[in-house]
Amino acid sequence: MGLDPTKLKKYLGLKREFASKEYINLNPIQRGGILTEEARKALVEFGDGYSVCDWCPPKTPRLDMVTRPPIHDFMVDLASFLNMDVVRVVTRCREAKFIIFHMLGKPGDYVVIDSLAHYTTYLAAEATGLKIKEVPHNGYPEYKINLNTYAEKIEEVKKETGKLPVAALLTHVDSFYGNLNDASKVAKICHEYGVPFILNAAYTAGVMPINGKSLMIDGLVGSGHKSWAASAPTGILALTEELSKKILVRSKIVGDWSGRHFPIKELPLLGCTVMGAPIISLMASFPHVVERVKKWEEEIKKARYLVEQLEKIEGTKQLGVKPKQHTLIHVESLGFQKIAETHKRRGFFLYDELKKRKIVGIQPGLTRHFEFNVYGLTWDEIKYVAESFLDIAKKYGLSVG
Amino acid sequence: MGLDPTKLKKYLGLKREFASKEYINLNPIQRGGILTEEARKALVEFGDGYSVCDWCPPKTPRLDMVTRPPIHDFMVDLASFLNMDVVRVVTRCREAKFIIFHMLGKPGDYVVIDSLAHYTTYLAAEATGLKIKEVPHNGYPEYKINLNTYAEKIEEVKKETGKLPVAALLTHVDSFYGNLNDASKVAKICHEYGVPFILNAAYTAGVMPINGKSLMIDGLVGSGHKSWAASAPTGILALTEELSKKILVRSKIVGDWSGRHFPIKELPLLGCTVMGAPIISLMASFPHVVERVKKWEEEIKKARYLVEQLEKIEGTKQLGVKPKQHTLIHVESLGFQKIAETHKRRGFFLYDELKKRKIVGIQPGLTRHFEFNVYGLTWDEIKYVAESFLDIAKKYGLSVG
């Protein structure tokens, strides 16, 4: 075998350069996933392999039925919190989408999605053999999804295939511009047609209040590591009672020789999903998450303040819908781009300058367009980030004012 | 919403009663998943959500392409260690099986499996719409899989459907009796027919030496939390170059309105898989795992010693193939059952007696048949476990001799 054991030292003592305490990390996908202290402790306590399986109930051996630790209660409480009927924790938001598509559709069927959907929405459809029909956005500079077009797209699918799409999915807040979409608007359209409405709440559930019933969601998918202060990989699959009957189907297979069968196991979950540390981190952070969503308005104020400050910089504006309704911000800066054109480090100068100021998480090399997320920053940190950008602009002779 | 925030305290300060230092935990699924100290530290360092994504390469944004931390190197080293060509870390061994079945088969196709396969093998087949054909075992007391029957079952599928099965899967060591199967025997049969041979090494890779090329494995699936001293959920999907071309297919979907496409993403992985703490725990334990598999013979000696001691107890014998070739042990004890019949705690007496002695992990209530795993116990611990069982037997008047 080609393995050189002396070279394995590199896997020991791995450190994360951007640990949250040293740096202000603005990485768009990381702000909502910073652990609480409770979660960090829980991670160590339940670090070992199948740590949550000490008390797997012999008659209902399934993760969601475990009562020590209180995983069963957690599923119920999580459903209450989202105002959905049934919740399962799965390995990733993308897996939740795959599970829904896989259980509802057959190869060749359609799903209608927004054109700013996360790439994993496309992959989840593709992996199940579904075709997609995209709902357009209005392009630069707003990139606003034309929500009414869901009706048109459903009609198109009907005309083309003689059947309705198996589901319509809306990305509640997209990962490019951080635009918040009115879920209930799409829900109404879907319900008129009898098409299950799926909300990808990866950037919303866990950071802002979500009420599944008011939004008329049939299926909500979320991400523990993105927005619930949990370790990866954790996804949330929250369903209405009605949809859950089609999704959380039990196994029916019977061994042709042995007669073995597993009627308690939920087929699309392949039995159990997150049987260790990450689900415990999700649970340990849950009381904090329940409280933090109440402070969402303050988070928006901080986002708007930062946009206001950044837009003082020559040639710099926020893209996406204004004013911000989410903490994920996409900035276009012709000013910073102008500097990059002649700087010896090209676009990396901005990264370098920010890093000197202990601010990281914006993709190195980008200046004309870049994204970041300010969720959970204190007002002092927000002001520090704003000042840092303005400082850098001034240092390179951009007008600020 | 029905959530009572005052009741959320139960999620704080969760403790694991059976933390490894206080108890000898014999849980059959847990011995190989106890973290190394290195893994425990890594877990905290990389606890936050998408902690491994700080340096996601912009041109190849994929988990297996990340070089800081050295995830890419790890995939290569892991492949070397298993003597396979290509490795991906997925969320669970069961997901690895699902991925293989899903990519190789169409609904209605067959897969041949052993009749002691893990229940998730059945579910992975069912979830992809595959039918199964089971290879029988020889029943009580050995439960030995008739490996030659793989040929017969492949023939049956051919006769029934006009096609070969899409794959044949062998459970290297089963979860009931801990029987070790000769993988190369089945591999030869499969290769004669041109059927891909999949080895479920959930109980072997990571604890005992595995050489994929000598065993002629086309696809190996393993479990980080079961056998690699890693946190759940982590699975290992190891493939030959040839099979990887059929499994690790890249996305081809194109947005019908936007033209968006994702050709770098691996479709069945839905892009990325374990993007946080558990993969780092797997990496941090890897140098230890590379060393520990060399001590497998000593582990077997300990298992055999314990069996020898337990079989001194009236009416007690090890089921499965003898002598043990694995540390997972299934015991039949008509002696302990006899006591349970009249004890006021029924079968729970055994659990109570063991727990008093700080030994846990055998399913409470069981006496006639029970399973446990001694992997990684020291000789002192093995002797203590043996003495404890003998003590309990004597206390209740069973003959021991």
Side-chain angles (χ1 to χ4, degrees):
Chain A
M1 297 192 234
L3 186 69
D4 177 356
T6 63
K7 288 191 181 158
L8 299 181
K9 278 184 195 157
K10 65 181 157 204
Y11 301 120
L12 300 177
L14 288 171
K15 290 286 172 201
R16 210 178 147 210
E17 202 181 339
F18 299 162
S20 45
K21 279 168 196 169
E22 283 177 65
Y23 288 91
I24 297 179
N25 187 345
L26 303 178
N27 192 315
I29 62 174
Q30 293 186 3
R31 294 296 318 162
I34 297 171
L35 295 193
T36 57
E37 278 315 304
E38 282 292 342
R40 220 171 289 276
K41 281 181 218 158
L43 213 51
V44 175
E45 185 73 19
F46 287 82
D48 290 330
Y50 287 98
S51 60
V52 302
C53 304
D54 288 334
W55 297 102
C56 182
K59 287 181 186 167
T60 54
R62 234 169 58 189
L63 185 66
D64 64 296
M65 302 301 269
V66 169
T67 58
R68 291 165 74 176
I71 294 175
H72 181 72
D73 281 0
F74 177 62
M75 302 279 174
V76 174
D77 285 342
L78 193 46
S80 285
F81 177 59
L82 295 168
N83 205 9
M84 298 291 289
D85 298 326
V86 183
V87 163
R88 295 289 182 270
V89 172
V90 296
T91 65
R92 293 153 295 162
C93 182
R94 58 195 73 185
E95 192 197 26
K97 290 184 279 192
F98 176 81
I99 285 170
I100 292 173
F101 293 166
H102 186 59
M103 296 309 283
L104 293 181
K106 279 192 288 290
D109 288 345
Y110 266 97
V111 62
V112 174
I113 68 174
D114 59 287
S115 53
L116 292 177
H118 195 254
Y119 81 86
T120 56
T121 302
Y122 291 81
L123 264 67
E126 185 182 6
T128 56
L130 300 188
K131 294 180 188 170
I132 51 149
K133 190 73 90 176
E134 290 176 311
V135 174
H137 56 69
N138 67 0
Y140 184 89
E142 270 196 325
Y143 300 95
K144 195 175 176 176
I145 298 290
N146 305 319
L147 299 181
N148 286 326
T149 310
Y150 271 87
E152 202 177 291
K153 293 293 162 186
I154 291 172
E155 288 287 357
E156 272 182 34
V157 170
K158 217 173 128 185
K159 218 169 280 176
E160 216 174 301
T161 65
K163 312 197 274 184
L164 290 167
V166 294
L169 181 144
L170 174 68
T171 310
H172 202 191
V173 160
D174 73 85
S175 60
F176 302 100
Y177 306 102
N179 286 344
L180 177 70
N181 290 299
D182 181 352
S184 58
K185 209 165 178 174
V186 179
K188 268 179 214 150
I189 295 170
C190 290
H191 288 178
E192 274 167 32
Y193 284 97
V195 171
F197 172 57
I198 312 304
L199 189 71
N200 179 357
Y203 278 100
T204 54
V207 293
M208 63 177 267
I210 298 280
N211 185 324
K213 293 276 188 272
S214 331
L215 295 177
M216 295 172 287
I217 304 164
D218 298 301
L220 177 147
V221 296
S223 168
H225 42 276
K226 198 171 258 162
S227 298
W228 295 76
S231 293
T234 38
I236 289 162
L237 172 65
L239 302 164
T240 58
E241 184 68 33
E242 196 189 338
L243 193 58
S244 76
K245 286 175 188 157
K246 293 180 186 167
I247 306 290
L248 298 175
V249 166
R250 307 272 191 96
S251 171
K252 291 186 192 69
I253 199 168
V254 179
D256 68 311
W257 177 80
S258 68
R260 291 174 64 195
H261 59 293
F262 322 96
I264 197 75
K265 305 292 188 182
E266 291 175 333
L267 181 61
L269 307 191
L270 302 173
C272 301
T273 50
V274 182
M275 57 290 265
I279 196 172
I280 294 290
S281 74
L282 184 65
M283 289 163 64
S285 285
F286 184 56
H288 168 73
V289 165
V290 168
E291 291 307 312
R292 81 183 189 180
V293 300
K294 297 174 188 163
K295 299 170 199 149
W296 181 244
E297 286 311 318
E298 194 66 17
E299 298 293 332
I300 297 304
K301 276 185 203 156
K302 288 183 259 180
R304 289 179 184 177
Y305 169 82
L306 186 56
V307 166
E308 193 190 297
Q309 295 299 307
L310 288 178
E311 290 196 333
K312 289 182 178 173
I313 298 169
E314 179 189 338
T316 302
K317 67 173 177 178
Q318 175 228 312
L319 298 188
V321 176
K322 290 181 149 189
K324 285 304 300 176
Q325 295 177 285
H326 193 267
T327 56
L328 189 153
I329 298 166
H330 188 127
V331 167
E332 174 187 76
S333 179
L334 304 181
F336 285 132
Q337 190 197 11
K338 198 170 74 181
I339 297 161
E341 277 163 12
T342 58
H343 196 284
K344 66 176 192 294
R345 285 275 291 154
R346 312 293 295 179
F348 290 88
F349 91 91
L350 182 59
Y351 169 78
D352 294 343
E353 292 287 354
L354 288 169
K355 187 153 183 219
K356 263 190 241 165
R357 292 165 174 83
K358 296 283 179 192
I359 297 169
V360 294
I362 291 176
Q363 192 181 305
L366 299 186
T367 50
R368 180 169 180 150
H369 290 109
F370 54 88
E371 279 173 72
F372 55 87
N373 193 336
V374 297
Y375 182 74
L377 295 186
T378 63
W379 269 109
D380 282 351
E381 287 171 327
I382 284 283
K383 284 175 183 165
Y384 175 73
V385 170
E387 278 159 25
S388 298
F389 271 103
L390 294 174
D391 262 8
I392 296 167
K394 284 177 204 159
K395 177 174 170 183
Y396 289 95
L398 296 180
S399 68
V400 171
Chain B
M1 295 193 234
L3 186 68
D4 177 356
T6 63
K7 289 191 180 159
L8 299 180
K9 278 184 194 155
K10 66 180 155 204
Y11 301 120
L12 301 177
L14 288 171
K15 290 284 171 202
R16 207 174 152 214
E17 201 182 340
F18 298 162
S20 45
K21 280 170 194 167
E22 283 176 66
Y23 288 91
I24 296 178
N25 188 346
L26 303 177
N27 192 315
I29 63 174
Q30 293 186 1
R31 294 296 318 162
I34 297 171
L35 296 193
T36 57
E37 277 315 303
E38 281 292 340
R40 220 172 289 276
K41 281 181 217 157
L43 213 51
V44 175
E45 184 74 18
F46 287 82
D48 291 331
Y50 286 99
S51 59
V52 303
C53 305
D54 287 334
W55 298 102
C56 182
K59 288 181 185 166
T60 53
R62 234 169 59 190
L63 184 65
D64 63 296
M65 301 302 269
V66 170
T67 56
R68 292 166 73 175
I71 294 175
H72 180 73
D73 281 358
F74 177 62
M75 303 280 173
V76 174
D77 285 342
L78 194 45
S80 284
F81 177 59
L82 295 168
N83 205 9
M84 298 291 288
D85 298 326
V86 183
V87 163
R88 294 290 181 270
V89 172
V90 296
T91 65
R92 294 154 294 162
C93 181
R94 58 195 74 185
E95 192 196 27
K97 290 183 279 191
F98 176 81
I99 286 171
I100 292 173
F101 293 166
H102 185 60
M103 297 308 284
L104 294 182
K106 279 193 287 291
D109 287 344
Y110 267 97
V111 63
V112 174
I113 68 175
D114 59 288
S115 53
L116 292 177
H118 196 254
Y119 81 86
T120 57
T121 302
Y122 292 80
L123 264 67
E126 184 182 7
T128 55
L130 300 188
K131 293 181 189 169
I132 51 149
K133 189 74 87 177
E134 290 176 311
V135 174
H137 55 69
N138 67 0
Y140 185 90
E142 269 196 324
Y143 299 94
K144 196 174 177 176
I145 298 290
N146 305 319
L147 298 181
N148 286 326
T149 312
Y150 271 87
E152 202 177 291
K153 293 294 162 184
I154 291 172
E155 290 286 358
E156 273 182 32
V157 170
K158 217 172 130 186
K159 219 169 279 176
E160 214 175 302
T161 66
K163 315 197 271 185
L164 291 166
V166 295
L169 181 144
L170 173 69
T171 310
H172 203 189
V173 161
D174 74 86
S175 60
F176 302 99
Y177 306 102
N179 286 345
L180 177 70
N181 290 299
D182 181 352
S184 58
K185 207 166 179 175
V186 179
K188 267 179 216 150
I189 295 170
C190 291
H191 289 178
E192 273 167 31
Y193 284 97
V195 171
F197 173 57
I198 312 302
L199 188 71
N200 179 357
Y203 277 100
T204 54
V207 292
M208 64 176 267
I210 298 281
N211 186 325
K213 293 276 189 271
S214 331
L215 295 176
M216 295 171 287
I217 303 164
D218 296 302
L220 176 148
V221 296
S223 169
H225 42 276
K226 198 170 256 159
S227 297
W228 295 76
S231 292
T234 38
I236 290 162
L237 172 65
L239 302 165
T240 58
E241 185 68 33
E242 195 190 340
L243 193 59
S244 76
K245 286 176 188 156
K246 292 180 187 169
I247 305 290
L248 298 175
V249 166
R250 307 273 190 96
S251 171
K252 292 186 191 71
I253 199 167
V254 179
D256 67 311
W257 178 80
S258 67
R260 291 174 64 195
H261 59 293
F262 321 97
I264 197 77
K265 306 291 187 181
E266 290 176 333
L267 182 61
L269 307 190
L270 302 173
C272 302
T273 51
V274 181
M275 58 290 266
I279 196 172
I280 295 289
S281 73
L282 184 65
M283 288 162 64
S285 285
F286 184 56
H288 167 73
V289 165
V290 168
E291 291 307 311
R292 82 183 189 181
V293 301
K294 297 175 189 164
K295 300 170 198 149
W296 181 244
E297 286 310 318
E298 194 66 17
E299 297 293 331
I300 298 303
K301 275 185 202 155
K302 287 184 257 179
R304 290 179 184 177
Y305 169 82
L306 186 56
V307 166
E308 191 190 297
Q309 294 300 307
L310 288 178
E311 290 196 333
K312 290 183 177 172
I313 298 170
E314 177 188 341
T316 302
K317 66 172 176 179
Q318 175 228 313
L319 299 188
V321 176
K322 290 183 153 189
K324 285 305 302 175
Q325 295 178 287
H326 193 268
T327 57
L328 190 152
I329 297 166
H330 189 127
V331 166
E332 174 187 77
S333 177
L334 304 180
F336 285 132
Q337 189 197 12
K338 197 171 74 180
I339 296 161
E341 278 163 12
T342 58
H343 196 284
K344 66 175 192 294
R345 286 274 291 154
R346 312 293 296 182
F348 290 89
F349 92 91
L350 182 59
Y351 169 78
D352 296 343
E353 292 287 355
L354 288 168
K355 188 155 182 217
K356 262 191 242 165
R357 293 165 174 82
K358 297 281 180 193
I359 297 168
V360 294
I362 291 176
Q363 193 181 304
L366 298 186
T367 51
R368 180 168 180 151
H369 291 109
F370 54 89
E371 278 172 73
F372 55 87
N373 193 337
V374 297
Y375 182 73
L377 294 186
T378 62
W379 270 108
D380 281 351
E381 287 170 327
I382 285 282
K383 285 175 182 164
Y384 176 72
V385 170
E387 280 160 23
S388 298
F389 271 102
L390 294 174
D391 262 8
I392 296 166
K394 284 177 204 159
K395 177 174 171 185
Y396 289 95
L398 296 179
S399 68
V400 171

